[in-house]
Amino acid sequence: MSKLDELRAIKEEVINISGELADTRRKENYFPVIGEGSHDASIMFVGEAPGENEAKRGRPFVGRAGKFLDELLQFISIPRESVYITNIVKDRPPKNRDPLPEEIALYAPFLVKQIEIIKPKIVATLGRFSMTYVMNRYGLDWELGPISNLHGKVFESPNGFKVVPLYHPAAAIYNQHLKPELFEDFKILKTLI
Ligand code: URA
């Protein structure tokens, strides 16, 4: 199967999944947000879950946090189309609440498959939910700590890629002091590709 076919198969599975978030998606006529970008990307960004703008359009990071992510990518001259952008949870949690552990458990296998298919060199996590999941899943649990200590550090996963925890762009919109840190951390990403 080609990468495209494998990624399409993931999309079909997510479309048909059961659960509260998927029920809400069907009721509200939202879309699942599978991910987008280059299927040969060196960098995969992993956010938390779609917000309202994303669920209305079926695309990741197209609202306010997405505008800031675009700005950060522009800052290091990396075209958005050359990376892959996804989330752990593929359906919108109501009122943008934090994803529940069982929701992460339900949707994370799709992220794992996306990583297997795309084989990025770098998995850049956005926010503490994706940081925690990815580091636990990929042999870096012993390195876990608060995101304020780990952001911008580069971890070698035994699975053959680097993991770089980053603050979530939405966090930097609410806490302006995080913005310069995100810009600095993006410079590190640039040195890794
Ligand atoms: N926040 C996320 O974590 N993901 C999105 O796709 C949008 C906002």
Side-chain angles (χ1 to χ4, degrees):
M1 258 212 275
S2 69
K3 285 189 176 188
L4 182 62
D5 287 340
E6 287 186 88
L7 290 163
R8 279 194 180 134
I10 293 178
K11 185 172 180 176
E12 281 308 305
E13 265 189 80
V14 175
I15 287 172
N16 295 312
I17 205 167
S18 339
E20 187 203 325
L21 300 189
D23 288 346
T24 309
R25 180 225 304 157
R26 293 179 191 110
K27 204 166 71 216
E28 302 285 340
N29 282 321
Y30 286 155
F31 292 101
V33 178
I34 311 298
E36 69 179 19
S38 166
H39 297 171
D40 299 306
S42 300
I43 307 183
M44 182 186 287
F45 288 95
V46 183
E48 184 178 313
E52 188 177 22
N53 287 300
E54 287 77 20
K56 281 186 170 161
R57 296 177 57 188
R59 295 183 55 205
F61 285 94
V62 290
R64 261 183 95 193
K67 292 261 147 42
F68 186 41
L69 178 60
D70 291 348
E71 215 182 293
L72 289 158
L73 286 168
Q74 268 165 26
F75 174 67
I76 54 169
S77 308
I78 293 185
R80 182 172 161 128
E81 316 76 66
S82 72
V83 301
Y84 194 83
I85 305 176
T86 186
N87 290 298
I88 318 186
V89 171
K90 313 297 193 197
D91 282 308
R92 181 189 181 215
K95 301 191 180 122
N96 297 344
R97 66 156 166 72
D98 288 345
L100 303 172
E102 57 268 31
E103 291 164 350
I104 293 177
L106 180 66
Y107 289 93
F110 300 112
L111 171 67
V112 170
K113 282 193 205 160
Q114 286 171 311
I115 292 175
E116 263 169 37
I117 297 165
I118 294 170
K119 298 189 174 48
K121 277 167 62 180
I122 303 149
V123 175
T125 59
L126 300 169
R128 64 193 166 86
F129 286 96
S130 56
M131 174 186 83
T132 306
Y133 178 79
V134 166
M135 291 184 73
N136 268 323
R137 174 69 178 70
Y138 292 105
L140 298 167
D141 44 316
W142 57 284
E143 298 270 25
L144 268 169
I147 193 163
S148 53
N149 291 348
L150 302 189
H151 74 91
K153 294 198 172 141
V154 182
F155 297 96
E156 279 294 339
S157 158
N159 295 73
F161 51 81
K162 294 181 168 66
V163 176
V164 183
L166 299 169
Y167 283 118
H168 196 290
I173 293 172
Y174 295 107
N175 298 311
Q176 290 284 328
H177 69 276
L178 297 181
K179 270 196 172 179
E181 308 224 31
L182 258 170
F183 280 107
E184 285 306 307
D185 291 351
F186 266 65
K187 283 195 207 161
I188 295 163
L189 277 188
K190 177 83 176 183
T191 67
L192 301 176
I193 52 167

